[in-house]
Amino acid sequence: MFNSRVSSEPVEDKQALLAFISGIRHADRVKWNSSTSACDWFGVQCDANRSFVYTLRLPGAALIGSIPPNTIGRLNRLRVLSLRANRLSGEIPADFSNLAQLRSLYLQGNEFTGPFPPSVTRLTRLTRLDLSSNNYTGPIPLGVNNLTQLTGIFLQNNKFSGSLPSIDSDGLNDFNVSNNNLNGSIPDSLSKFPESSFAGNIGLCGGPLPPCNPFPPSPSPTEPIPPTTSGQSSKSLPTGAIIAIAVASAIVALLLLLFLIICLRKWKRKSPRRQKAIPSTTHAGPEEEAGTSSSKDDITGGSTEIERMMNNKLVFFKGCVYSFDLEDLMRASAEMLGKGSTGTSYKVVLAVGTTVAVKRLKDVAVSKREFVMKMGML
């Protein structure tokens, strides 16, 4: 009778790891030799009996691309998985839900996209979850409450949106959702965490952040607004808001009118050349398009002054940043869109392919005052 040491080998786990590393780009130091035991590979740790892979740690190993399905998800007795600080992208494979024994999952500092991984919400034995510094979007699901063993969850520096779910935080010691696009009130169950855990979410309020102050509801159209008496305290917030909006609108209208006048003067100095007629797709000849103003000017009493002010000048809207002049406009193809009281509108396609809308102020059948009012409205 003699004693012999039997060397076991996690054959199935070894095949899963080889399938993973062969399906993804990685650093040179991750050299897994199929002729040696997987328990001796870089980043791999087995249990005491070397019968299954217990830990897989490959931080900063230059892993690039998406995690191949049916690879890591086959390590069904894995306890710790760390793939942080790589360039992994795409979504987490659905078969990650097979990692039922997983305790710690570190995927921070990668380029993962898509919604919160639904397979992760099935890992009910997780105690630490770090998905920070990725590109996750969408809401944080209520299924996070399935992870009843969590002591820390880190979701900061992503693009999560929507409201925060009410997460059971009895055993939760670390929590961070800063620098996302979350909004709404912070649930009472999470208000125990510091302000830094929620910073960078403009729409969040309550808890450690400033309190939520919703606007008071507007009165219904059929409900009269009760008048305030001299003996009552003034509570005319809706009326004050309306007055403020009216004043702001008037100021904006004046600024727009001033902006239009400044643009007119600038282009008057820069473009002294006489404006040519815009070609039309209608049957009107060039003589008719380039003619002088009609007798309507005498009737309105103001359009002649407008044409004298605007004649042969280009006025640009949207900040006056377009880089073409009258000659470029005249060489372009034009399609008449219609005529109105403030001139004729054209659709013009420039030689560079840019499409612009042009209104030609000829035969304007409105007074100067009405014209300025309409331009101010625009």
Side-chain angles (χ1 to χ4, degrees):
M1 179 177 178
F2 62 91
N3 294 327
S4 62
R5 182 180 176 182
V6 177
S7 177
S8 60
E9 171 74 358
V11 178
E12 294 183 0
D13 290 354
K14 180 178 181 180
Q15 293 174 351
L17 290 172
L18 288 173
F20 165 72
I21 207 65
S22 63
I24 199 168
R25 294 171 60 187
H26 55 276
D28 291 339
R29 65 177 179 272
V30 187
K31 294 181 179 179
W32 291 347
N33 190 343
S34 60
S35 61
T36 61
S37 173
C39 299
D40 299 325
W41 290 350
F42 172 82
V44 178
Q45 180 181 355
C46 295
D47 67 309
N49 296 325
R50 300 170 66 91
S51 59
F52 64 88
V53 173
Y54 185 91
T55 299
L56 177 60
R57 297 180 183 270
L58 295 174
L63 304 177
I64 302 175
S66 300
I67 298 177
N70 198 30
T71 56
I72 293 180
R74 291 157 54 185
L75 306 175
N76 53 18
R77 287 188 284 181
L78 194 66
R79 300 296 197 277
V80 179
L81 175 60
S82 175
L83 301 176
R84 60 182 176 86
N86 285 287
R87 293 177 57 188
L88 296 171
S89 57
E91 297 186 14
I92 300 299
D95 58 17
F96 262 46
S97 59
N98 297 330
L99 305 178
Q101 303 296 322
L102 198 63
R103 301 293 195 277
S104 303
L105 179 58
Y106 303 102
L107 300 178
Q108 68 268 32
N110 283 283
E111 301 172 4
F112 289 116
T113 57
F116 190 101
S119 57
V120 172
T121 61
R122 301 186 182 97
L123 306 180
T124 56
R125 297 193 179 186
L126 272 182
T127 59
R128 306 290 287 185
L129 173 62
D130 197 334
L131 302 179
S132 62
S133 300
N134 282 285
N135 294 312
Y136 285 115
T137 57
I140 299 174
L142 189 59
V144 173
N145 277 314
N146 297 334
L147 311 180
T148 57
Q149 305 298 318
L150 275 182
T151 60
I153 178 170
F154 306 89
L155 306 177
Q156 68 268 24
N157 302 322
N158 279 284
K159 299 175 183 178
F160 288 117
S161 58
S163 58
L164 271 174
S166 181
I167 300 175
D168 184 7
S169 60
D170 288 343
L172 203 58
N173 299 320
D174 299 298
F175 179 81
N176 197 329
V177 292
S178 60
N179 301 320
N180 281 283
N181 299 319
L182 299 169
N183 55 58
S185 176
I186 295 176
D188 293 338
S189 60
L190 300 175
S191 60
K192 67 178 183 180
F193 294 104
E195 182 179 350
S196 58
S197 297
F198 309 96
N201 294 278
I202 299 177
L204 280 182
C205 58
L209 300 180
C212 302
N213 292 317
F215 290 103
S218 301
S220 61
T222 58
E223 180 182 358
I225 300 177
T228 57
T229 61
S230 58
Q232 295 176 334
S233 61
S234 176
K235 295 183 180 180
S236 57
L237 179 60
T239 304
I242 292 174
I243 294 174
I245 292 173
V247 173
S249 300
I251 294 174
V252 171
L254 289 174
L255 290 176
L256 287 175
L257 181 58
L258 180 62
F259 180 75
L260 177 62
I261 294 173
I262 292 173
C263 289
L264 276 172
R265 290 181 177 177
K266 284 186 178 180
W267 281 101
K268 187 175 182 179
R269 290 196 300 267
K270 292 182 179 179
S271 304
R273 295 169 294 184
R274 184 173 181 82
Q275 181 183 0
K276 298 180 182 179
I278 297 177
S280 174
T281 57
T282 62
H283 297 292
E287 295 81 4
E288 181 181 350
E289 284 291 314
T292 59
S293 58
S294 66
S295 61
K296 285 189 293 183
D297 298 338
D298 300 330
I299 298 173
T300 59
S303 58
T304 303
E305 184 177 358
I306 295 172
E307 285 195 16
R308 184 164 57 252
M309 179 177 66
M310 304 290 290
N311 194 25
N312 299 330
K313 298 294 185 295
L314 287 179
V315 178
F316 291 80
F317 287 84
K318 292 190 177 179
C320 305
V321 296
Y322 295 96
S323 57
F324 63 87
D325 55 16
L326 183 60
E327 292 182 1
D328 296 327
L329 189 63
M330 301 309 301
R331 287 195 297 266
S333 61
E335 174 186 357
M336 188 176 74
L337 300 177
K339 291 184 177 181
S341 60
T342 56
T344 307
S345 298
Y346 296 86
K347 175 183 177 182
V348 180
V349 181
L350 300 172
V352 296
T354 304
T355 302
V356 296
V358 179
K359 180 176 281 296
R360 184 184 182 200
L361 303 180
K362 179 181 182 295
D363 294 338
V364 179
V366 295
S367 65
K368 179 182 178 181
R369 181 179 179 183
E370 184 180 354
F371 170 77
V372 172
M373 288 178 62
K374 290 189 175 184
M375 292 300 103
M377 291 170 61
L378 290 177

